[in-house]
Amino acid sequence: MGQPILLQSAQPPVDRERIGISYSGGEPLVLVELGIARAFVEKGIIPAIVAGASAGALAGTAHALDPIGGKGIDLAADLLGHVSNNLLALTPFHVVGRLIVEREHITSLGDNAPIGPIITRSLERELELQHVTIGYFNHAPPAKLLIVATDVVNRAAVWFPDDTPIEEALIASSAIPGIFPWRKLQVSGQDLVLVDGGVVSNQPLSTLVEQGCGTIYACAVGSTDPLPEPSNALDNAMRTINLMMHQSTKLEEAYIRVKLGDEGEVHHIHPIVGLPADKFDFTPVLVQQVMDEARRQTLDWLSQPHTD
């Protein structure tokens, strides 16, 4: 059996002034998370720690790049405006082609690797940042960044160390099982086989407490209403995976509330914005529409008093 979610026995005392923000997995709903991040910037809420899994790793990275001015969020929005099912090899043409060629040895329906070089080039061109690693966020901007992937051989969470290139961490953390291929990376001197971080920690919260955060924002995405019948196999797979991860998210959030008790607080932010779970066919207009609606809902929520 896999290891249970437990806080370290010798964790540091939590500080309510120390803010932690967690971004969950959500596939195309990363656009919603970028809208949430934009709302935090506008409200002047500056995190000490940002943690993310899967799509949330991309949103978290964008937020941590510039939690005061939001330059990273703008960069991610521009980048995602040119992402499509075609780029990710998720069109019927691509999927059928892979099935014909790879047959029973097929590793995935699509491939998220093409996003990696785009991220690297964007960081170099727009922010003049080269060879960015996880460690960059621990020493330069105000926010520390934590990204998780899943070691499918040892059935454990893998938090990327400082020397991991950000491109590799993001691709591995968002390697949705069956949809995108697993990744083989050397982490801390070990050769690991990694898949989506949301498998073991879809809403990274425990690690924020272990980092001393006493005020935590759990930024979740996904529909809360009944959905129509799946339209195809990809829609069914993406929707089911998202549901499984969301269930584990709710359990960890409840667990953290109990562990914190009166020492801290967890705020659940969950704007509802309609977006198909199986389509990465983004456009600059769609990206801005979704982000603006998520931003508006989040600002409304943040402007109200909360005790949860």
Side-chain angles (χ1 to χ4, degrees):
M1 296 178 63
Q3 295 298 312
I5 298 172
L6 295 174
L7 296 179
Q8 297 174 0
S9 57
Q11 69 186 66
V14 297
D15 179 359
R16 284 182 179 269
E17 298 299 316
R18 187 170 173 81
I19 297 172
I21 297 178
S22 167
Y23 290 101
S24 75
E27 297 93 35
L29 295 175
V30 62
L31 304 184
V32 176
E33 295 180 312
L34 289 176
I36 297 173
R38 171 56 67 189
F40 281 125
V41 171
E42 291 189 17
K43 289 290 288 186
I45 298 174
I46 303 174
I49 311 286
V50 178
S54 193
L58 177 58
T61 299
H63 192 175
L65 273 168
D66 182 13
I68 297 175
K71 292 180 181 178
I73 299 168
D74 294 338
L75 179 64
D78 180 66
L79 183 158
L80 289 171
H82 304 284
V83 169
S84 66
N85 276 8
N86 184 63
L87 176 70
L88 302 175
L90 283 173
T91 66
F93 173 80
H94 286 98
V95 173
V96 171
R98 290 174 72 93
L99 283 168
I100 292 174
V101 173
E102 300 181 28
R103 302 177 69 177
E104 70 271 18
H105 301 294
I106 189 169
T107 57
S108 64
L109 296 180
D111 190 355
N112 62 339
I115 293 182
I118 297 175
I119 293 172
T120 298
R121 289 195 299 270
S122 295
L123 289 171
E124 293 175 350
R125 182 179 64 251
E126 303 298 332
L127 300 182
E128 299 182 349
L129 296 175
Q130 296 184 345
H131 311 298
V132 178
T133 65
I134 297 292
Y136 167 80
F137 298 87
N138 295 344
H139 306 291
K144 181 178 181 179
L145 177 66
L146 301 173
I147 294 178
V148 65
T150 301
D151 179 347
V152 293
V153 174
N154 297 301
R155 297 173 294 176
V158 174
W159 295 93
F160 290 105
D162 282 1
D163 61 351
T164 308
I166 193 65
E167 171 185 334
E168 293 184 2
L170 292 175
I171 296 302
S173 182
S174 59
I176 307 167
I179 309 302
F180 299 134
W182 57 85
R183 300 294 170 187
K184 294 183 179 180
L185 293 180
Q186 188 171 86
V187 181
S188 300
Q190 292 184 297
D191 293 322
L192 302 180
V193 180
L194 303 175
V195 298
D196 197 296
V199 173
V200 290
S201 186
N202 190 52
Q203 185 80 77
L205 296 174
S206 300
T207 189
L208 294 178
V209 179
E210 291 164 0
Q211 294 281 331
C213 296
T215 297
I216 296 174
Y217 292 93
C219 304
V221 292
S223 175
T224 58
D225 298 322
L227 297 172
E229 180 180 342
S231 58
N232 54 50
L234 179 59
D235 182 21
N236 186 35
M238 297 281 276
R239 186 184 300 183
T240 304
I241 291 170
N242 186 271
L243 177 59
M244 289 189 294
M245 291 179 175
H246 187 65
Q247 290 300 106
S248 66
T249 289
K250 292 194 294 185
L251 289 173
E252 180 165 7
E253 189 171 321
Y255 172 75
I256 291 300
R257 289 180 191 275
V258 172
K259 292 296 290 185
L260 281 175
D262 296 330
E263 300 299 317
E265 55 191 7
V266 179
H267 299 295
H268 183 86
I269 297 181
H270 194 152
I272 303 299
V273 183
L275 195 66
D278 65 323
K279 290 183 174 62
F280 291 89
D281 286 323
F282 301 150
T283 65
V285 172
L286 176 65
V287 169
Q288 288 305 317
Q289 287 177 341
V290 173
M291 285 182 60
D292 285 347
E293 178 58 22
R295 166 187 159 277
R296 182 191 65 78
Q297 291 187 35
T298 304
L299 285 173
D300 288 346
W301 189 94
L302 291 171
S303 298
Q304 300 171 12
H306 297 279
T307 57
D308 63 331

